[in-house]
Amino acid sequence: MKKTSTLFLGTLCLTAATLLPGCVASKKYDDLRARQTATEQAKADLERQQRQAVAELKKASDELAQLRLDNKRLVADSTQTGNVLRKTQNLYGELNSSFEKLLKNTDRALADKSADYSKVAQDLARREAELGKSQTEIDKLTADLKTREARLAELQQALAEKDKAVNDLRAKVSKALLSFNDSDLQVQLKDGKVYVSLSEQLLFKSGSTKVDPKGQDALKKLAAVLQEQRDVNVVVEGHTDDVPISRGTAGMQDNWDLSVLRATEIARLLTTNGVTPERVTASGRSKYVPVDVAKTPVARQKNRRTEIILTPKLDELFQILDSNTSAPQPTK
């Protein structure tokens, strides 16, 4: 306001000087003009400063309004943050309480587990000691098993050789007796043995114990085979039918006597023809082992027979079996 009054006075003086020509010196005039120019310049500066001040004031007002808005937001955020903080503190308190309870329970569980682990360790040590003893027994059983397996292999080998020997024997006997009819003579393999069954018609007349010439020929051929097969035992079994012998038959009371005498007669012929007597056994079975139980003439004819049973010696098998029996049994 002061600057405006000064400007007004300067302008007034200038006007007065203009109205009074000659009363103001040229120097004075120049001073006034200079002052006027300076005053105008000052006015322009003032107006510029005013505009700048107004702009700065507006900017300050805008910033103040923004600060007030930010302050309002901060107050709201602080309230929300305070609520969250209180909830967080409550949650922290609950978690801390739970943690303390869990810690106590964990300490108890660890103590229990430690006791369990100690018990397990003791049990493990005991089992390891038992395992050491068991391992010794296992080694012993393994060695015994290997021994038994070796003996079993020997036994299987011996059985295979025995089966081969029986089959070979059957083939040789069948070949030697090939000329005889099947109705008079049969060669069969049964229970690991060779059965040579000779009918009564081939060997004997009814009620007789003397072998007919045709029967003697068959026995000679069989004896020739048995001479080559020295590891074969011979059992001669006499069989009759169920018809009692005729009374007065010399030296016989019943079918027992007839079956035995016929068996001994055949055994005698075999040994006479070269079979070692120590290998031969004679026995009579009478009527008690029939091949046909019917009471017909055909069935009775089948039952009147002599069977020569050829068995390979099983000394090797018996030795293996004896060694297995005498072997020490595994401890339980």
Side-chain angles (χ1 to χ4, degrees), residues 202-225:
L202 177 63
L203 297 175
F204 304 101
K205 291 182 173 60
S206 179
S208 174
T209 60
K210 299 298 180 184
V211 180
D212 289 343
K214 190 175 181 180
Q216 291 182 18
D217 182 46
L219 294 174
K220 287 179 182 179
K221 291 180 178 179
L222 177 60
V225 174

Side-chain angles (χ1 to χ4, degrees), residues 22 26 38 52 80-81 84 113 127 153 203 216 236 243 286-287:
S26 177
Q52 185 177 359
Q80 184 177 2
T81 302
V84 172
K113 289 295 182 183
R127 289 180 179 272
L203 297 175
Q216 291 182 18
V236 182
V243 179
S286 187
K287 61 182 181 179

Side-chain angles (χ1 to χ4, degrees), residues 165-175 187-189 194:
V166 170
N167 287 317
D168 291 345
L169 177 62
R170 178 183 179 278
K172 290 179 180 180
V173 171
S174 298
K175 182 178 180 181
V187 181
Q188 297 177 331
L189 187 63
V194 177

Side-chain angles (χ1 to χ4, degrees), residues 123-281:
D123 185 62
L124 181 60
R126 179 179 58 81
R127 289 180 179 272
E128 286 178 348
E130 293 177 354
L131 182 60
K133 296 180 181 178
S134 299
Q135 186 62 44
T136 302
E137 294 178 357
I138 290 173
D139 293 340
K140 184 177 179 181
L141 289 174
T142 302
D144 182 67
L145 179 61
K146 290 182 179 179
T147 302
R148 290 177 178 271
E149 288 176 346
R151 290 174 178 168
L152 178 61
E154 293 178 9
L155 180 61
Q156 291 174 338
Q157 180 64 27
L159 286 172
E161 293 176 357
K162 174 254 183 184
D163 290 340
K164 182 178 183 304
V166 170
N167 287 317
D168 291 345
L169 177 62
R170 178 183 179 278
K172 290 179 180 180
V173 171
S174 298
K175 182 178 180 181
L177 303 177
L178 188 62
S179 60
F180 295 92
N181 295 328
D182 292 340
S183 60
D184 293 335
L185 188 151
Q186 294 180 352
V187 181
Q188 297 177 331
L189 187 63
K190 183 171 60 175
D191 300 329
K193 303 175 183 179
V194 177
Y195 282 72
V196 182
S197 181
L198 301 100
S199 68
E200 182 188 47
Q201 289 80 4
L202 177 63
L203 297 175
F204 304 101
K205 291 182 173 60
S206 179
S208 174
T209 60
K210 299 298 180 184
V211 180
D212 289 343
K214 190 175 181 180
Q216 291 182 18
D217 182 46
L219 294 174
K220 287 179 182 179
K221 291 180 178 179
L222 177 60
V225 174
L226 294 177
Q227 286 184 63
E228 299 175 357
Q229 305 294 321
R230 299 184 180 277
D231 292 331
V232 176
N233 291 323
V234 182
V235 176
V236 182
E237 286 186 352
H239 298 267
T240 67
D241 58 20
D242 59 345
V243 179
I245 63 173
S246 301
R247 291 190 177 186
T249 303
M252 291 179 285
Q253 296 183 13
D254 53 23
N255 287 356
W256 277 115
D257 287 338
L258 179 60
S259 64
V260 171
L261 290 174
R262 283 180 171 179
T264 54
E265 179 66 17
I266 291 174
R268 189 175 294 109
L269 285 172
L270 291 174
T271 57
T272 300
N273 286 280
V275 181
T276 306
E278 290 80 5
R279 297 165 52 194
V280 183
T281 300

Side-chain angles (χ1 to χ4, degrees), residues 269-306:
L269 285 172
L270 291 174
T271 57
T272 300
N273 286 280
V275 181
T276 306
E278 290 80 5
R279 297 165 52 194
V280 183
T281 300
S283 63
R285 307 298 300 270
S286 187
K287 61 182 181 179
Y288 299 107
V289 190
V291 294
D292 193 337
V293 296
K295 306 297 182 181
T296 63
V298 175
R300 286 177 172 137
Q301 182 179 353
K302 292 178 183 178
N303 293 334
R304 296 191 299 269
R305 70 199 188 279
T306 299

